[in-house]
Amino acid sequence: MRKSSKNVSTRQVIYIVGEGLTELYYFSHLKKLLGYRYSISPRFFDNNSIEKIEKKLNVLLREDVIVICVFDADVSRRSAIEKKKMTAFKRKYEKNSNVILCDSLQSIEYWFLLHYEDTCRYFQDAATTERALKVYIPTYAKTRKFLEKASWVRNMIADDKMITACELAEKYQGRDSYSEIYKAIKKVSIRKND
């Protein structure tokens, strides 16, 4: 007699692709601290340009996966050529349901700042944003030594600060300073509860 098999639904895997160490460590710590389900690997974060991110994205999209792309938009303010590339990249993938674009202007540090401060003021560059963040995380540094410790992320998400950051980021979409990382947080939070 044949056993009846259960109808098992498979989940679509989420991959996170990004620019560098800060994004890699931030999302690695979130995964461990909050139990989020996604695939994250250093090989997906050796990208320092839209072209390299797009290459990784296209390789991953050959499978039935969701790809979250995390990158800084500050280069688009400094160079007309880079702005054109970024605009084309965003336009190409904005309607792809398997791609979630999560850029931040000036940088991911603006996303971190939203955990502590309600602001959408103009930041001249990533360094200015980082200085504003250091008011709340004085030891913050974009170094492996600092980033590899989970405590900075643990402190940042304590007391529902990430919920506030998501609300503020959504409120300030398209402003002088913005971060789309809340889209990634919403997606992985939903997936955690599946």
Side-chain angles (χ1 to χ4, degrees):
M1 186 152 141
R2 203 177 214 195
K3 284 186 181 179
S4 64
S5 62
K6 290 182 181 177
N7 190 5
V8 179
S9 65
T10 58
R11 283 188 225 184
Q12 206 172 20
V13 176
I14 297 175
Y15 286 89
I16 299 186
V17 175
E19 273 189 292
L21 279 180
T22 306
E23 294 82 359
L24 172 64
Y25 279 112
Y26 173 69
F27 280 98
S28 294
H29 295 318
L30 280 183
K31 183 176 180 177
K32 289 175 190 161
L33 294 168
L34 298 175
Y36 288 154
R37 296 181 191 160
Y38 48 77
S39 184
I40 189 163
S41 169
R43 65 190 169 103
F44 298 137
F45 286 84
D46 61 352
N47 310 304
N48 55 7
S49 70
I50 290 295
E51 294 90 347
K52 288 182 181 179
I53 290 173
E54 188 168 16
K55 282 180 188 175
K56 295 276 188 197
L57 174 63
N58 286 325
V59 168
L60 290 169
L61 286 177
R62 291 184 189 134
E63 305 295 324
D64 184 28
V65 300
I66 295 171
V67 182
I68 296 173
C69 297
V70 183
F71 56 96
D72 296 341
D74 60 338
V75 69
S76 69
R77 275 196 179 160
R78 295 190 308 260
S79 164
I81 293 169
E82 292 301 319
K83 183 175 183 165
K84 187 176 178 181
K85 286 180 194 175
M86 183 173 297
T87 302
F89 175 72
K90 290 172 84 170
R91 193 173 296 129
K92 182 175 179 179
Y93 294 101
E94 69 187 352
K95 292 186 177 153
N96 186 325
S97 61
N98 287 2
V99 178
I100 301 172
L101 300 175
C102 299
D103 57 317
S104 298
L105 185 63
Q106 290 292 340
S107 61
I108 194 170
E109 282 76 20
Y110 175 70
W111 165 248
F112 300 157
L113 183 60
L114 289 178
H115 290 68
Y116 300 99
E117 185 178 313
D118 181 348
T119 184
C120 68
R121 72 180 184 266
Y122 173 80
F123 291 96
Q124 182 177 345
D125 54 26
T128 307
T129 312
E130 192 175 325
R131 280 194 298 277
L133 178 62
K134 284 186 176 192
V135 169
Y136 304 98
I137 310 174
T139 58
Y140 181 83
K142 292 177 79 81
T143 62
R144 185 178 300 273
K145 184 178 179 181
F146 174 83
L147 296 170
E148 68 187 2
K149 296 174 187 162
S151 59
W152 66 279
V153 176
R154 185 179 301 110
N155 293 336
M156 192 165 40
I157 64 174
D159 305 320
D160 293 328
K161 288 192 287 268
M162 190 160 63
I163 293 168
T164 301
C166 285
E167 291 168 356
L168 292 172
E170 197 163 4
K171 174 181 164 184
Y172 296 134
Q173 269 185 309
R175 302 287 286 274
D176 283 339
S177 295
Y178 69 85
S179 178
E180 303 283 321
I181 293 178
Y182 75 91
K183 294 176 181 178
I185 300 304
K186 282 184 173 185
K187 183 66 175 179
V188 298
S189 294
I190 291 168
R191 179 55 53 97
K192 178 184 172 187
N193 298 322
D194 281 353

